[in-house]
Amino acid sequence: MNWLRLRFYFRLFFIFVVVPAAVFASVYTLDQRGFFAIEEIEMKVMTKSEQLNFSKPYLDKLNQELSSYKGQSLWRLSLSQVSDKLKAKSWIKDFRISRSWPNAINVEIEPKILSLLYVDQKRLAEGFVRPVTTDGAILPEVDTAQAPPLAMLKGEVFVKDEAKRKTAVELLKSLPEEGKLSHKIISEIGFDNKEGYWVEVAKTNIKIKLGEDQFAVKSARVSQVLDYLEKRDLKARVIDANLSKKVLVRLQQTP
């Protein structure tokens, strides 16, 4: 009986001590010889196709930063270090990092969705805009060729004042998906200290003043006015909806 018990303990010792130690020693030896040295950092972007290009310059810069891990041991690398770098990027909504044995890191990134493009007239002339995300974050410049077709946010106030920038995003969200004042046909959004927020409609260049609140209610009134004008073949220059229950229309002057 004692021999059987001793034999049992020996098996346990072999399974839980000897085998792990042998595995560790083998892995350690391979690691010392550079078998797990990181050679590849593979990044995959998960987003809508129309918003894929804007993240390219950010990805290129991130790839340069992560390249510092190349040559390090994948076995000993702390993924939390990589995670901290990604958390610091304002353009990233979510991400996933994993080891790909024996010598690669896989990074899956979901960029934030863009809502607007902040434009400085001088930089726009040089071909650059700053994307604005749906949570109101303003990102570093990208080439206009890489930016998706979104409404432009005009005015330095939107760079300095985060609250006003977020309200501009909410204004755009409050507009209907379809119709005479759909968010899809807005070309510009701006802010005036006296009159509040205004939007400009693409193609017609109608300027619509919406004040600083109740955007959904006011846009519904403006839609009715636009229907009325279209039926009578009238062309508006400015529509002021920043009035209590009224909408003021300034028509284009006929030649």
Side-chain angles (χ1 to χ4, degrees):
M1 179 68 70
N2 290 338
W3 169 247
L4 291 176
R5 184 176 297 174
L6 184 62
R7 192 175 176 184
F8 174 73
Y9 288 145
F10 177 78
R11 286 181 177 176
L12 289 180
F13 177 79
F14 182 81
I15 293 171
F16 292 105
V17 178
V18 176
V19 172
V23 171
F24 177 82
S26 298
V27 172
Y28 179 79
T29 301
L30 289 171
D31 185 55
Q32 290 297 106
R33 294 177 178 176
F35 184 74
F36 299 114
I38 298 171
E39 296 179 0
E40 201 71 41
I41 298 174
E42 299 176 358
M43 287 195 288
K44 185 177 181 181
V45 180
M46 315 291 288
T47 190
K48 297 178 180 179
S49 58
E50 64 269 22
Q51 297 214 0
L52 184 61
N53 287 340
F54 93 89
S55 60
K56 187 179 184 304
Y58 307 149
L59 283 168
D60 291 343
K61 186 175 180 180
L62 179 60
N63 195 35
Q64 289 179 356
E65 292 179 28
L66 297 184
S67 65
S68 63
Y69 293 113
K70 289 184 178 180
Q72 295 187 29
S73 168
L74 181 63
W75 184 42
R76 286 176 287 167
L77 176 69
S78 171
L79 292 186
S80 62
Q81 293 180 8
V82 185
S83 178
D84 289 342
K85 283 186 179 290
L86 297 181
K87 286 177 182 177
K89 306 302 179 186
S90 59
W91 61 277
I92 295 178
K93 179 182 178 181
D94 200 6
F95 61 86
R96 182 182 172 213
I97 308 168
S98 60
R99 292 179 173 87
S100 180
W101 300 100
N103 53 13
I105 301 174
N106 287 338
V107 182
E108 290 185 5
I109 294 174
E110 180 185 356
K112 291 181 179 179
I113 299 298
L114 303 186
S115 182
L116 296 160
L117 299 174
Y118 171 76
V119 296
D120 172 272
Q121 288 303 124
K122 182 179 178 181
R123 295 299 290 158
L124 179 61
E126 294 170 354
F128 294 97
V129 294
R130 296 186 65 181
V132 178
T133 65
T134 52
D135 62 357
I138 187 165
L139 305 181
E141 286 183 331
V142 298
D143 192 296
T144 51
Q146 295 171 317
L150 298 172
M152 293 185 291
L153 193 61
K154 287 190 171 181
E156 194 176 352
V157 64
F158 293 116
V159 177
K160 298 178 178 179
D161 194 326
E162 182 183 6
K164 283 186 171 56
R165 193 166 63 241
K166 288 184 175 181
T167 301
V169 172
E170 291 305 313
L171 185 163
L172 194 67
K173 289 180 181 178
S174 72
L175 301 181
E177 183 72 19
E178 304 293 341
K180 298 296 182 183
L181 197 58
S182 163
H183 65 85
K184 298 175 184 177
I185 64 171
I186 301 302
S187 60
E188 297 179 14
I189 297 179
F191 180 83
D192 181 272
N193 287 328
K194 291 183 179 179
E195 299 180 333
Y197 291 87
W198 56 266
V199 301
E200 189 168 294
V201 180
K203 295 183 180 180
T204 61
N205 296 324
I206 301 173
K207 186 176 182 178
I208 301 172
K209 301 176 183 180
L210 294 170
E212 297 191 43
D213 55 16
Q214 296 183 310
F215 300 127
V217 173
K218 293 174 181 177
S219 65
R221 293 176 190 158
V222 171
S223 294
Q224 293 176 344
V225 169
L226 290 172
D227 275 332
Y228 175 88
L229 293 172
E230 184 180 26
K231 289 176 182 177
R232 284 155 182 78
D233 197 25
L234 298 172
K235 299 185 184 299
R237 179 169 55 89
V238 178
I239 297 177
D240 190 350
N242 192 25
L243 302 168
S244 57
K245 300 182 181 180
K246 293 181 180 180
V247 176
L248 177 66
V249 180
R250 295 177 189 171
L251 297 176
Q252 293 182 11
Q253 294 181 352
T254 55

